[in-house]
Amino acid sequence: MKKLLQYSCLLFCAGTASVQADEKSTDWHFNVGAMYEIENIEGQADDEDGLYEPSVYFNAAWGDWSIALTMYQEGPANYSNFTRGTYFNRPEMNIRYQFFDNDMGTFGFTTGIRNYGYHFKDDHGANAGTANTVRYGFIPDYQIKFNDSLSFGGWLAYYRFDHDLDETGYSDSRVETETGMTWIINETFSLKANYYLERGFNIESDKNNGEFSTQEMRIYLPISLGTNTFTPYTRIGLDRWTNWDWSEDLEREDHNYDRLGLLYAHDFENGLSMTLEYAYEWEDHNEGDRDRFHYAGVGVNYSF
């Protein structure tokens, strides 16, 4: 499941800081919200019935500074016996500074920390230990404005993972980026075409924990109709491979995949807004069967 909320918080902080920079404001701006994301695989699979990620967040911005605080719960869900893979114990904090915002473009930098907590169970459902992996993030974001209609921008993240990597299966390093062109056609239509990369790797040469690579094109078509915005989008898989069986198997498994989705956002014009999202993804593996995913997300946000 992709970290939608993480970058929603990041973009809110970026947007708020941008407005304040333009207005030379020193007022505080806040928003609070909650999201629930779930991804189900058709049929029974290794991750039981699906994956889910409920979360709550609080953001604050003042001048060129902004902070985002989030608490996640993430893990497999087995609806037949109502068990969950983790508790609500994955806090994250990001702090961002906006270096500049003018007619030429924008540039900001975010740094943060997130804890991944796991509670393991044995074959009989009894507690079998815990693990906590800490992730440190360094994320510049940028935009180059060619004119009022055309711009180039995105973000680039480097993550460092520490603690309990053998238990959680994470590699010690990861890079992630989404960047591309935005064309504002008119007041109603826009078009965004981005390249996305996520790559997990190990700096330590004697380890092979959880290495993977994902590359895709992400194309969005936001349609603004008053207080409603509809964003149909697609993710076109360019390349994906994984190697999670780090203890025994050095072979990589290749995957072919694509996704179609629709994000709906409504602004109630009183500080309250909401989002609804659905996506369908099909994935084929060079080992094993084909998978078909259903993703759904709902969010509510209040700004003040």
Side-chain angles (χ1 to χ4, degrees), residues 107-176:
F107 178 75
F109 187 85
T110 301
T111 185
I113 185 171
R114 179 176 179 179
N115 181 74
Y116 290 80
Y118 284 90
H119 298 264
F120 299 105
K121 297 181 179 180
D122 60 22
D123 293 338
H124 305 287
N127 291 333
T130 63
N132 286 283
T133 294
V134 179
R135 186 194 74 183
Y136 305 94
F138 308 91
I139 313 168
D141 60 89
Y142 44 87
Q143 183 186 41
I144 300 173
K145 302 175 183 177
F146 299 108
N147 52 50
D148 292 338
S149 300
L150 192 64
S151 62
F152 172 84
W155 51 268
L156 171 65
Y158 170 74
Y159 300 114
R160 174 70 186 184
F161 292 78
D162 287 321
H163 308 304
D164 297 337
L165 299 183
D166 288 337
E167 288 80 6
T168 60
Y170 287 119
S171 55
D172 61 37
S173 301
R174 188 177 301 183
V175 293
E176 187 175 14

Side-chain angles (χ1 to χ4, degrees), residues 147 149-151 181-186 189-193 222:
N147 52 50
S149 300
L150 192 64
S151 62
M181 303 294 298
T182 298
W183 178 29
I184 301 176
I185 302 172
N186 52 42
F189 296 98
S190 299
L191 177 64
K192 299 181 180 182

